[in-house]
Amino acid sequence: REFAELIKKAPSEVVRDLLFMKYMLKINDVLPFEVAQKLADKYGINIEKKVENKGELPEEEKDDPASLKPRPPIVTVMGHVDHGKTSLLDAIRNTNVTAKEVGGITQHIGASTVELNGKKIVFLDTPGHEAFTSMRSRGAQVTDIAVLVVAADDGVMPQTIEAINHAKAAKVPIIVAINKIDKPEANPDRVKQELAEYGLIPEEWGGDTICIPVSALKKQGINDLLEMILLVAEMQELKANPDKKARGIVIEARLDKGRGPVATAIVQSGTLRVGDAIIVGTAYGKVRAMFDDKGKRLKEAGPSTPVEVIGLSEVPEAGDLLVVVDDEKKARELAEARKEKMKETRFVSQKVTLEDLFNQMQQGNIKELNVIIKADVQGSVEALKQAILKLSSNELRVNVLHEGVGIITETDVMLAAASNAIIIGFNVRPDSKAKDLAEREKVDIRLYRIIYDVIDDIEKALKGLLEPEY
Ligand code: GDP
């Protein structure tokens, strides 16, 4: 009706013309732009789409390759509970206090910078693959290298395997720290053997996984580990342009009684300066002051620098993007527009589902299907994995990102959300948290009791023949 009124025609006439064009629309239906365009062509009028660019962040300035400078690596420590992640982070921070920093008290801001031979490494303070993948499911990947801690007296455990698969899914290189080598029952060779079973073949056995024996307790091997991190970083050629407006990612944020909202961000590109107007999620403001992890006041922070930022209107969330804009007014307008938009729709990007697989393949949107398998027994996990991998074809590669015995957990769903994967449960169900998260993130969880049905469904999906499930 609105369209008809705009072009001064009777709505019934427009509806009839639409019908001739094989569009069955009623007077009050929404007219898609593509269809309006066809109508306009028919009537010989010009129409234009009004692009509402509300709350869109400015695009990042393109970098001239010559402007890129090396930046320090950002590292996350992962591994099974009690294998020594926290102890290792402490050992790294404490053995690496350079002379000029002595007296500077380490502040917990969410990340710490250590230095070896004049080169910096940034460690995220929250260890574990859950934090890592939860950021990633929000579209934020800050980690360049994962250090996988495996206790030499305990070996590869379920969360070790999860950590390996989460890092692999994110395509982040893994360095293994074989910890607790001070213990009499330590058996690093057994750890290496177990790692090899999960595709991490140690270098000394001809593979490319670096394994460093360490003791977080006795502070042994720490420098070797740092050296290896720098070596891997060098091979990655991590670079960023420091000479432009900064962009970064929030890794922690809180409300401080005296200072108001405080956010720790890691600068990803450009240089953040005191006085810069910033927008962070739906918060905005001007950088009033910045502090590093030693509590030192900074005037500016370049790529890979973790900084506490003060001056925001509200507390942002971990994973939020920090962007410098021209002035504070612009920052406020953007923040307000984004808030409005969030009220209207909570943005959840479209995830792959088995039902929609064929469509997405046809549109060329998807070239691989990522799958997570959970089953009640190891035998079923293996059988399913082998059968599913066989479904790979030239049109679609099938990857199994993670597989395991046990119920479907929140962590599985996070990984699926972060890597656009579907989850197949065989004789297992999601727990309630996992179910809720899957609903929110629109992750497709499929539950089966017969292996044949799994294969049959995927085959049908590949051909576009799968009946929707309600
Ligand atoms: P996380 O759960 O992975 O963060 O593990 P923690 O760092 O909390 O360590 C778990 C336990 O292992 C603690 O009791 C530590 O004291 C102990 N631990 C950590 N590293 C070492 C080590 O190198 N040698 C020995 N003997 N014990 C360690």
Side-chain angles (χ1 to χ4, degrees), residues 371-389 400 402-406 424-428 448-452 454-455:
V371 182
I372 293 169
I373 302 170
K374 291 302 279 282
D376 53 344
V377 291
Q378 188 60 34
S380 306
V381 173
E382 277 309 314
L384 270 169
K385 185 177 176 183
Q386 295 316 324
I388 287 175
L389 286 175
V400 176
H402 177 61
E403 76 258 15
V405 173
I424 288 176
F426 186 76
N427 283 330
V428 293
Y448 295 92
R449 299 194 160 276
I450 299 169
I451 291 195
Y452 171 78
V454 181
I455 305 311

Side-chain angles (χ1 to χ4, degrees), residues 247-269:
R247 289 171 97 87
I249 290 189
V250 173
I251 51 166
E252 253 187 45
R254 65 195 159 85
L255 189 64
D256 184 284
K257 262 194 249 131
R259 302 187 293 174
V262 179
T264 298
I266 293 199
V267 177
Q268 292 200 298
S269 60

Side-chain angles (χ1 to χ4, degrees), residues 191-395:
V191 173
K192 286 180 197 169
Q193 206 139 28
E194 289 170 352
L195 286 168
E197 283 170 32
Y198 291 92
L200 298 184
I201 320 278
E203 271 189 322
E204 56 268 43
W205 297 357
D208 55 11
T209 301
I210 299 169
C211 297
I212 312 288
V214 299
S215 165
L217 193 72
K218 306 260 187 237
K219 301 197 173 37
Q220 282 166 7
I222 306 296
N223 274 3
D224 295 344
L225 177 63
L226 298 181
E227 264 168 33
M228 282 306 157
I229 293 172
L230 286 172
L231 191 77
V232 171
E234 212 163 284
M235 293 192 297
Q236 282 181 297
E237 297 189 40
L238 305 170
K239 283 179 181 167
N241 175 3
D243 299 315
K244 61 177 184 179
K245 286 200 199 97
R247 289 171 97 87
I249 290 189
V250 173
I251 51 166
E252 253 187 45
R254 65 195 159 85
L255 189 64
D256 184 284
K257 262 194 249 131
R259 302 187 293 174
V262 179
T264 298
I266 293 199
V267 177
Q268 292 200 298
S269 60
T271 297
L272 185 65
R273 295 191 169 81
V274 171
D276 278 349
I278 50 174
I279 165 148
V280 190
T282 57
Y284 67 93
K286 210 169 197 164
V287 180
R288 266 207 336 256
M290 293 195 292
F291 298 91
D292 70 6
D293 56 325
K294 316 287 181 309
K296 201 176 90 192
R297 222 172 233 279
L298 298 180
K299 282 212 172 70
E300 53 176 46
S304 291
T305 314
V307 276
E308 257 191 349
V309 175
I310 296 172
L312 283 170
S313 59
E314 57 186 77
V315 181
E317 277 179 57
D320 277 344
L321 194 62
L322 175 151
V323 177
V324 171
V325 295
D326 292 336
D327 52 58
E328 209 179 344
K329 180 165 165 275
K330 174 102 195 218
R332 192 183 58 228
E333 281 168 7
L334 267 173
E336 275 161 11
R338 297 182 64 145
K339 243 186 213 165
E340 272 312 301
K341 213 163 169 178
M342 277 193 29
K343 264 191 241 154
E344 288 163 22
T345 44
R346 195 189 156 271
F347 272 108
V348 178
S349 59
Q350 193 51 51
K351 306 269 160 45
V352 62
T353 65
L354 218 44
E355 275 143 30
D356 198 37
L357 186 62
F358 184 69
N359 269 337
Q360 297 209 25
M361 276 166 64
Q362 288 229 310
Q363 288 167 15
N365 290 343
I366 161 167
K367 300 238 163 4
E368 49 181 22
L369 175 65
N370 292 329
V371 182
I372 293 169
I373 302 170
K374 291 302 279 282
D376 53 344
V377 291
Q378 188 60 34
S380 306
V381 173
E382 277 309 314
L384 270 169
K385 185 177 176 183
Q386 295 316 324
I388 287 175
L389 286 175
K390 276 202 198 112
L391 297 173
S392 267
S393 67
N394 286 338
E395 288 88 59

